[in-house]
Amino acid sequence: MPNKSTYLFLLFCCIVFSVKSQVSQVTLSGVLKDQGNGSAVVYSNVLLKKAKDSTFVQGTISDANGRFRLNNIKPGTYYLQISMVGYQLKKQNLFVGSLTEFLDLATIDLVPDQQQLQEVTVSAKRDEIENKLDKKSYSVETISSQTGGSVLQVMQSLPGVTVQDGKLNLRGSSQVAVLVDGKQTALTGFGAQSGLDNIPSSAIEKIEIINNPSAKYDANGNAGIINIIFKKTKQEGLNGKIGLSAGLGALGIKRENLPSIRPQFQATPKLNPSLSLNYRKKNLNAFLQADFNHTPTLNKNEFVTRTYDSGEVIQQQTKRNRRTNIGTFMGGIDWKMNDQNSWSSSILFSSEKILDDGDEPFFNQNLTERRRLWQFLEDELKTTVTSMNNFQHRFEQPGHLINVGLNYTWHQEDEKYFFTNIYPTYTGLDAFKLMSDEHVTDLNVDYVKPLKWGRVEAGLKYRYRFIPTSMLFIPGLNSPLDVTAGGWADYKETIPAIYSNYIFENEKYEVEAGLRMEYVTVKYDIDPNHNTYKSDGYQYVQPFPNVRLGYKLNENNKLSFFFSRRVDRPAELDIRVFPKYDDAEIVKVGNPALKPQFTNTMEIAYKSSINRGYLYTAIYQRLADATITRIATTVPGNTLIYHIMQNAGKSSNLGLEIVLSQELSKAFSFNLNLNAYQNRINSFSVFNQYPIPTTYTSEPDEIISGSAKWIGFIHLPKQWNMQLSAIYLAPDLIPQGRIGQRFSLDVGIKKAQKNGKGEYFINASDLLNTMVIHKDILAKGFRMSSNDYYETQVIRAGYQLKF
């Protein structure tokens, strides 16, 4: 039977509407032929005029094959006027939509006769806004409050995006697929997103948010897709950009350490030099983007109180001083072989070196007795190399093309932990080493053909992914490490997929319908000597449809409906069987029996263009099965907590999003984003195998949560610009508990000089130092309350110069 969330969704459907962004420039093409003998009519005049008042928009002549092309046409209602000596004047009504960049008018027959072309008046105006149906694009340069930071920090300013525990959330869900230049790479993750805090914003041109991806995209990521576009220019000759930013974080101590541990990082320096070069000559374009990021941080400073049913209370602190150095390089070439064929090839390289000094003291309830001190040094090197190659063949008809892409990614994780386990009566020295190599090969073939009323798309994809991982434990005196849980494990993933997509548009209606078919095989081979887990895996053949329906009320108002089915396949880290001890008494372990999470998403939205701005409202609902989450359990006789990945049954997310953008004057404009949603997890029961068999049962849980973002843009005299960003996150649902409300205020100031080629900037994130992460967890046998006072306040200044 439908639950109350479904009824609520249907009610909202009756009263709330939607929108999507659209293209603003379209290319029209067709072929002129003699109606009598079918021969091409060459060098004929082709004029495009507005249907409303016959105003001239653009003109051209047909070529030696009778083909004509009109570029950069604004969506609207027109007619073609075609004239040629010896033929009757031809007029043909024409609607140009906003769903596709190319329209094919096919063959237009001319009737032999003789007509005289009359004189016309030229008056045309270019559209000032460029959008696309299935995505919203944001220029990184306009987000001045986060200049010099990471991509993850920049995304906090985007509508619908929040960051929780270092993870990206889109409309309240962390299941987001992150692409780099339209491709998945190990730098950002092939399952759930990762690594975004390691990409400097100075390397990025723009960020695209795709809430309702079409069938041409991979089916993973129920919350949608975020696409990160690296910088590349198209100007002739040599040009580029050089920049340097520096800053300080952790300017004050939010909370003092518990006794007897090493000091927290304070006044942590930040340094980010960057260089972007581009050289274009005739048919060849070469580009280079290089960044270095030196970012020491107080990565974690969490104070936890654990209370067990036995009455025992443990007070602990987890403090992690992190030193990170990240080098990112991207370079390549674009080669236009001829008018029909082109080739592009690029290499993305990233090296991240992490050194963590950590302290974890464990005290009794009133802090009079330190029972244990766990100190660790994490020495980790992450290396990523991605090769992206693409061949494009363009047919004679504009927009009719085929793309063939071959991409390869290698990602290595070399991680070493050294522990000092200090008790009142002895000290033990423990260590472990983890080595993981990831190899991913993707082959893509995509075909696009424009039609008179839209376009068709089709393609195929094949992926092979192989990740061998090994874990070596080196125990010390009275070691707490589970040395029999080490060994090796191999992850193998094979995904062939095909898709087709059709887009139609006329003056009133928009339709996009697609279907993607995936066959997925995942095999996880585990060392036979592992003390708990055995080899496992899964496979499926599943359809993933998507539908978009739009109704244009008038030029300024549009109603839209979306439906899609997507999947969240477990990340390799989610099933990795080796226990991780970055917290001495809260051990994280994967689950090789984890299965994919399938999600159906519906959305209804409405967009209204208003004077110097727009209003966008949308209501959406996601219904998930086999929800992937982390469940905490305990083992009788000790205080260790084991966090194991599980499929927790059905869950839902019902939300309402409102975006208001308004320019009040030339000096001031703002964006307001409100997102409210109900998160619900149905009752479920799971079975944890590690370290001993344990069953956990949960009652239904739900919460109404959301976020509010206000971003103000102030344009001052002499090319000074200021941006203010206020972000509020309401309390939300987390596995077995709640996360508290959060608030931050960011500010950025820019000063342009040298005719806009140079730019000074200064900004501050979490200016008031108010961001604290509070969590309450209630589980079988214990409850836990925590506050994380990690570094959030950072002030940066820098300079950028274009040449």
Side-chain angles (χ1 to χ4, degrees):
M1 293 294 291
N3 58 29
K4 64 179 182 181
S5 295
T6 302
Y7 287 124
L8 183 58
F9 174 76
L10 293 174
L11 175 61
F12 277 142
C13 288
C14 298
I15 58 175
V16 186
F17 320 123
S18 183
V19 184
K20 277 292 167 191
S21 323
Q22 303 149 44
V23 298
S24 62
Q25 293 183 345
V26 178
T27 296
L28 307 175
S29 64
V31 177
L32 304 181
K33 290 189 176 182
D34 188 301
Q35 188 183 57
N37 58 28
S39 62
V41 180
V42 301
Y43 311 126
S44 176
N45 292 299
V46 181
L47 305 179
L48 182 70
K49 297 184 178 182
K50 291 184 179 180
K52 183 178 180 180
D53 55 11
S54 296
T55 302
F56 173 77
V57 176
Q58 194 177 129
T60 187
I61 60 172
S62 59
D63 63 17
N65 297 313
R67 184 172 293 278
F68 66 90
R69 175 173 179 155
L70 297 165
N71 298 315
N72 304 322
I73 306 303
K74 180 180 176 180
T77 304
Y78 304 90
Y79 68 88
L80 282 174
Q81 179 176 297
I82 304 168
S83 63
M84 180 64 184
V85 175
Y87 291 90
Q88 294 180 10
L89 181 68
K90 176 80 172 184
K91 291 186 178 182
Q92 179 170 313
N93 293 331
L94 176 65
F95 171 75
V96 178
S98 56
L99 298 189
T100 182
E101 296 180 71
F102 297 91
L103 290 177
D104 178 26
L105 305 181
T107 300
I108 299 176
D109 293 325
L110 299 185
V111 179
D113 200 327
Q114 184 171 352
Q115 295 289 336
Q116 196 73 22
L117 176 65
Q118 296 184 359
E119 192 174 319
V120 295
T121 303
V122 176
S123 64
K125 182 181 179 181
R126 295 181 63 90
D127 192 6
E128 298 176 352
I129 302 172
E130 183 175 357
N131 300 307
K132 292 189 177 180
L133 168 75
D134 60 348
K135 64 190 68 172
K136 305 169 190 173
S137 298
Y138 302 92
S139 171
V140 171
E141 290 187 353
T142 64
I143 307 174
S144 59
S145 62
Q146 295 295 345
T147 303
S150 70
V151 170
L152 187 68
Q153 292 165 335
V154 167
M155 287 183 179
Q156 295 183 74
S157 298
L158 303 184
V161 178
T162 58
V163 177
Q164 184 170 298
D165 289 344
K167 291 184 177 181
L168 196 66
N169 283 257
L170 189 57
R171 290 179 167 178
S173 173
S174 63
Q175 302 297 338
V176 183
V178 181
L179 311 181
V180 173
D181 289 338
K183 309 292 189 303
Q184 285 185 293
T185 76
L187 187 64
T188 55
F190 284 90
Q193 45 76 29
S194 61
L196 291 174
D197 210 23
N198 304 333
I199 303 177
S201 64
S202 55
I204 305 305
E205 178 183 346
K206 63 180 179 179
I207 298 171
E208 298 174 340
I209 297 179
I210 309 171
N211 291 117
N212 297 280
S214 71
K216 69 181 178 181
Y217 294 100
D218 282 347
N220 61 302
N222 76 65
I225 292 174
I226 292 182
N227 188 23
I228 301 169
I229 307 296
F230 271 72
K231 290 179 178 176
K232 189 197 299 185
T233 61
K234 297 182 179 180
Q235 298 177 0
E236 284 289 331
L238 178 64
N239 53 83
K241 186 175 183 179
I242 188 170
L244 177 66
S245 69
L248 289 175
L251 300 179
I253 296 178
K254 293 184 180 180
R255 180 171 172 177
E256 295 286 347
N257 285 339
L258 295 182
S260 70
I261 68 172
R262 292 171 292 185
Q264 305 173 19
F265 267 178
Q266 293 185 64
T268 53
K270 320 291 181 185
L271 187 65
N272 174 214
S274 63
L275 173 66
S276 177
L277 294 175
N278 201 94
Y279 179 75
R280 179 179 292 273
K281 186 175 182 181
K282 295 183 179 179
N283 294 333
L284 190 67
N285 180 63
F287 54 91
L288 167 71
Q289 174 70 43
D291 290 83
F292 176 75
N293 232 342
H294 173 67
T295 55
T297 58
L298 179 59
N299 179 259
K300 191 170 188 176
N301 192 25
E302 186 175 33
F303 294 78
V304 179
T305 300
R306 285 182 279 146
T307 304
Y308 293 84
D309 289 354
S310 63
E312 183 175 7
V313 177
I314 296 176
Q315 302 276 10
Q316 76 175 76
Q317 178 187 358
T318 303
K319 184 218 65 181
R320 186 184 296 135
N321 291 330
R322 171 166 291 183
R323 291 158 286 168
T324 306
N325 291 297
I326 307 166
T328 304
F329 164 92
M330 186 175 185
I333 59 170
D334 300 322
W335 176 32
K336 185 179 180 182
M337 305 176 190
N338 50 47
D339 290 340
Q340 283 74 45
N341 301 296
S342 61
W343 173 269
S344 64
S345 184
S346 63
I347 293 288
L348 173 63
F349 172 83
S350 175
S351 178
E352 178 186 10
K353 179 67 173 180
I354 297 174
L355 291 173
D356 276 354
D357 288 311
D359 293 82
E360 273 195 335
F362 300 90
F363 286 83
N364 61 354
Q365 182 174 5
N366 55 15
L367 300 176
T368 57
E369 176 190 357
R370 193 187 77 184
R371 300 175 177 179
R372 178 187 184 191
L373 175 60
W374 177 263
Q375 294 184 322
F376 62 86
L377 169 65
E378 178 188 9
D379 184 349
E380 184 174 12
L381 178 64
K382 295 181 181 179
T383 307
T384 304
V385 179
T386 298
S387 171
M388 293 177 281
N389 306 278
N390 188 78
F391 170 78
Q392 183 180 90
H393 174 73
R394 292 176 295 277
F395 296 89
E396 187 176 1
Q397 174 193 351
H400 186 193
L401 54 86
I402 186 169
N403 285 309
V404 180
L406 180 62
N407 308 306
Y408 171 76
T409 289
W410 172 72
H411 175 76
Q412 184 179 81
E413 181 182 352
D414 183 356
E415 185 176 11
K416 297 180 285 290
Y417 265 88
F418 303 93
F419 305 105
T420 304
N421 191 23
I422 304 172
Y423 278 88
T425 57
Y426 71 90
T427 297
L429 301 177
D430 304 274
F432 75 71
K433 176 178 174 61
L434 182 142
M435 177 67 76
S436 175
D437 282 287
E438 182 171 10
H439 306 269
V440 187
T441 301
D442 281 339
L443 173 65
N444 300 273
V445 180
D446 299 288
Y447 173 80
V448 181
K449 179 174 175 53
L451 304 173
K452 184 176 181 180
W453 302 102
R455 69 178 184 270
V456 291
E457 303 169 328
L460 60 87
K461 179 172 184 175
Y462 179 82
R463 168 177 294 165
Y464 178 72
R465 188 169 171 226
F466 175 56
I467 310 175
T469 305
S470 62
M471 172 73 85
L472 174 65
F473 288 109
I474 306 170
L477 180 64
N478 296 326
S479 176
L481 304 181
D482 186 354
V483 296
T484 60
W488 59 267
D490 291 343
Y491 176 94
K492 299 175 184 177
E493 176 184 275
T494 305
I495 308 178
I498 59 173
Y499 76 89
S500 63
N501 206 38
Y502 172 69
I503 294 175
F504 167 86
E505 181 181 19
N506 63 20
E507 296 182 18
K508 282 293 184 181
Y509 298 99
E510 299 174 353
V511 177
E512 179 171 359
L515 178 66
R516 188 179 189 90
M517 290 293 299
E518 283 190 350
Y519 171 66
V520 175
T521 300
V522 171
K523 188 176 181 181
Y524 194 61
D525 295 324
I526 301 172
D527 190 332
N529 297 318
H530 194 279
N531 60 14
T532 303
Y533 291 118
K534 304 299 180 185
S535 298
D536 211 325
Y538 62 87
Q539 67 177 30
Y540 65 78
V541 180
Q542 291 281 342
F544 296 98
N546 74 281
V547 177
R548 298 177 184 157
L549 304 174
Y551 177 69
K552 305 170 189 176
L553 303 173
N554 51 46
E555 290 185 358
N556 297 320
N557 296 275
K558 185 191 294 184
L559 203 60
S560 303
F561 169 79
F562 304 85
F563 170 81
S564 64
R565 184 172 188 263
R566 299 186 64 76
V567 63
D568 291 291
R569 297 183 288 269
E572 187 269 337
L573 283 173
D574 294 338
I575 67 175
R576 187 178 288 180
V577 295
F578 310 119
K580 191 171 183 181
Y581 294 91
D582 49 1
D583 188 305
E585 297 194 1
I586 304 176
V587 182
K588 294 180 180 179
V589 187
N591 178 8
L594 208 60
K595 298 298 184 284
Q597 169 184 317
F598 294 94
T599 304
N600 292 326
T601 300
M602 294 172 285
E603 178 176 337
I604 293 181
Y606 169 75
K607 183 177 181 180
S608 177
S609 298
I610 54 181
N611 185 31
R612 294 188 297 181
Y614 67 88
L615 173 66
Y616 168 85
T617 62
I619 182 164
Y620 54 89
Q621 183 173 47
R622 293 190 289 259
L623 302 174
D625 195 13
T627 304
I628 296 175
T629 188
R630 194 177 287 277
I631 300 297
T633 58
T634 59
V635 173
N638 67 47
T639 58
L640 293 184
I641 296 172
Y642 296 92
H643 272 186
I644 315 292
M645 298 302 299
Q646 291 286 359
N647 292 112
K650 297 183 182 295
S651 63
S652 64
N653 175 262
L654 174 65
L656 172 67
E657 182 177 23
I658 299 174
V659 179
L660 174 63
S661 179
Q662 187 65 50
E663 180 184 350
L664 298 181
S665 68
K666 291 183 178 181
F668 179 72
S669 61
F670 72 89
N671 290 329
L672 175 64
N673 174 222
L674 303 175
N675 190 27
Y677 51 84
Q678 178 198 58
N679 274 339
R680 176 182 171 84
I681 298 179
N682 293 358
S683 59
F684 65 90
S685 181
V686 296
F687 179 68
N688 277 353
Q689 286 185 266
Y690 188 87
I692 63 173
T694 305
T695 299
Y696 177 81
T697 301
S698 175
E699 296 299 317
D701 198 5
E702 66 179 49
I703 192 173
I704 294 178
S705 184
S707 62
K709 292 184 181 182
W710 180 87
I711 303 176
F713 303 90
I714 304 172
H715 307 288
L716 302 172
K718 298 183 179 180
Q719 294 185 298
W720 284 92
N721 291 281
M722 176 182 291
Q723 178 182 325
L724 296 171
S725 301
I727 303 172
Y728 171 78
L729 308 178
D732 207 348
L733 197 65
I734 59 175
Q736 300 172 284
R738 299 285 190 274
I739 186 171
Q741 63 181 2
R742 291 139 288 163
F743 172 78
S744 67
L745 178 67
D746 304 335
V747 61
I749 301 174
K750 287 184 177 183
K751 170 67 169 72
Q753 51 118 223
K754 296 185 177 181
N755 295 322
K757 291 188 174 182
E759 182 180 77
Y760 297 97
F761 66 87
I762 183 170
N763 58 53
S765 58
D766 194 16
L767 180 66
L768 306 179
N769 213 18
T770 53
M771 183 65 75
V772 176
I773 308 299
H774 174 77
K775 296 179 184 178
D776 290 304
I777 292 177
L778 178 61
K780 183 179 180 180
F782 74 95
R783 64 182 184 273
M784 185 167 69
S785 179
S786 67
N787 289 287
D788 192 352
Y789 300 89
Y790 70 106
E791 175 185 316
T792 55
Q793 186 185 59
V794 179
I795 296 177
R796 294 183 180 88
Y799 181 74
Q800 299 178 135
L801 177 66
K802 297 178 182 178
F803 57 89

